[in-house]
Amino acid sequence: MQMPELPEVETTVRGLTPVLLGQRLASVEPRRADLRKAIPVDLRQRLTGATVTALGRRAKYGTIATDRGDTLIFHLGMSGRWRVDPVEVEPHDHLLIETDAGRRLALNDPRRFGFVDLWSTADLTAYPPFMAMGPEPLGAALTGGHLRAALAGRRAPIKAMLLDQRIVAGLGNIYVCEALHRARIAPGRQAGRIGLPRLERLVDAIKAVLLDAIAAGGSSLRDFAHPDGALGYFSKQFLVYGREDQDCACGVPVRRRTEGGRSTFWCPACQRG
């Protein structure tokens, strides 16, 4: 089971923005006490009547800031998604939000591996999961030079290092496989032995694959759907992910191996070094 990754979260935030930005929250109703962790007991009190001032994303977390100095942080877990203007409330709609404009949002999470939290907007960088994160992959801080410094002396495979949130924030298995293929780098290559020109090429590939995925609305593996219910179609553009034994564009079959519960897909011809 794949959880929503960075492009899916970015797509979600973009879908929520026209519904919530500048709107007063007329009603905030948690429908259970916990998801993966407890829902703040004062969430209803702190958010009801507040006006949404900004929406954003940090790695795979969505953020909804209000004029009261509080930010609602959400993580979609394995199967979470926001539903916009649902006709009926479903059993797995665990948080309901209504605006003064009459719009309704439902955070739906059948497996309850996601969560919501509240944190001071002014101190958002000190939110514990954010403190040790590396740079955003789509930001200017992610460069070949950053990767060279972060990976210096590291003997671990480059794929494992890219999944380390302390090195780059928000990269997940699907898009790391795709970026390494675009950069023509073997996933098992020792991270510390990759030179600067190839790392710069890798950074370009990371940014390109994420932007392509966002433009396509994400990958919609299994349960994920956008707030409006539409499905993303980037999975139709996968070059290696999920394509074991199918031919790469070069004509050589894509290979797959499993490590730590994750599948790695790569082309042995295109990704030799």
Side-chain angles (χ1 to χ4, degrees), residues 115-209:
F115 67 84
V116 293
D117 207 349
L118 282 174
W119 199 262
S120 167
T121 304
D123 202 27
L124 202 57
T125 57
Y127 184 62
F130 296 171
M131 290 182 66
M133 283 184 179
E136 284 287 320
L138 291 175
L142 180 62
T143 64
H146 164 77
L147 285 183
R148 180 173 62 174
L151 300 175
R154 303 298 293 267
R155 301 180 66 181
I158 182 60
K159 187 194 172 200
M161 291 292 93
L162 292 178
L163 292 173
D164 186 333
Q165 301 297 292
R166 297 168 295 181
I167 293 174
V168 185
L171 290 184
N173 193 44
I174 296 172
Y175 300 106
V176 168
C177 287
E178 291 293 305
L180 286 170
H181 181 266
R182 292 192 187 200
R184 304 178 73 86
I185 296 173
R189 175 81 172 178
Q190 284 189 17
R193 299 186 64 181
I194 302 174
L196 181 59
R198 300 185 79 198
L199 291 175
E200 290 175 338
R201 190 169 72 206
L202 176 58
V203 167
D204 289 343
I206 289 169
K207 294 177 186 290
V209 75

Side-chain angles (χ1 to χ4, degrees), residues 18-271:
V19 179
L20 286 178
L21 185 60
Q23 298 299 310
R24 181 179 177 273
L25 305 182
S27 173
V28 178
E29 179 191 351
R31 302 186 69 234
R32 58 178 298 120
D34 62 351
L35 294 174
R36 181 170 51 169
K37 63 180 185 178
I39 295 174
V41 294
D42 57 351
L43 184 141
R44 185 200 310 262
Q45 177 184 352
R46 288 166 65 179
L47 292 183
T48 301
T51 297
V52 175
T53 57
L55 292 93
R57 178 193 53 75
R58 177 65 167 127
K60 300 177 187 178
Y61 298 77
T63 60
I64 303 172
T66 73
D67 62 350
R68 292 183 179 173
D70 293 317
T71 289
L72 174 69
I73 300 169
F74 66 85
H75 193 286
L76 297 175
M78 299 293 288
S79 60
R81 66 185 183 97
W82 287 93
R83 302 197 304 131
V84 175
D85 296 328
V87 175
E88 296 181 356
V89 176
E90 296 181 354
H92 298 298
D93 289 341
H94 303 308
L95 176 65
L96 301 179
I97 295 176
E98 294 187 7
T99 71
D100 271 354
R103 306 296 299 273
R104 172 185 275 188
L105 292 168
L107 179 59
N108 184 281
D109 189 355
R111 291 171 176 81
R112 301 198 303 273
F113 288 148
F115 67 84
V116 293
D117 207 349
L118 282 174
W119 199 262
S120 167
T121 304
D123 202 27
L124 202 57
T125 57
Y127 184 62
F130 296 171
M131 290 182 66
M133 283 184 179
E136 284 287 320
L138 291 175
L142 180 62
T143 64
H146 164 77
L147 285 183
R148 180 173 62 174
L151 300 175
R154 303 298 293 267
R155 301 180 66 181
I158 182 60
K159 187 194 172 200
M161 291 292 93
L162 292 178
L163 292 173
D164 186 333
Q165 301 297 292
R166 297 168 295 181
I167 293 174
V168 185
L171 290 184
N173 193 44
I174 296 172
Y175 300 106
V176 168
C177 287
E178 291 293 305
L180 286 170
H181 181 266
R182 292 192 187 200
R184 304 178 73 86
I185 296 173
R189 175 81 172 178
Q190 284 189 17
R193 299 186 64 181
I194 302 174
L196 181 59
R198 300 185 79 198
L199 291 175
E200 290 175 338
R201 190 169 72 206
L202 176 58
V203 167
D204 289 343
I206 289 169
K207 294 177 186 290
V209 75
L210 291 176
L211 289 172
D212 286 349
I214 292 167
S219 300
S220 293
L221 292 181
R222 297 196 184 177
D223 295 333
F224 178 75
H226 306 160
D228 64 1
L231 299 178
Y233 55 88
F234 186 69
S235 59
K236 299 182 184 301
Q237 302 177 36
F238 288 165
L239 299 178
V240 288
Y241 189 86
R243 302 189 70 241
E244 180 183 11
D245 296 331
Q246 298 179 48
D247 284 351
C248 171
C250 73
V252 173
V254 171
R255 292 185 183 175
R256 170 183 175 268
R257 64 169 177 261
T258 302
E259 301 163 315
R262 286 193 178 103
S263 292
T264 297
F265 297 90
W266 82 103
C267 172
C270 293
Q271 298 171 258

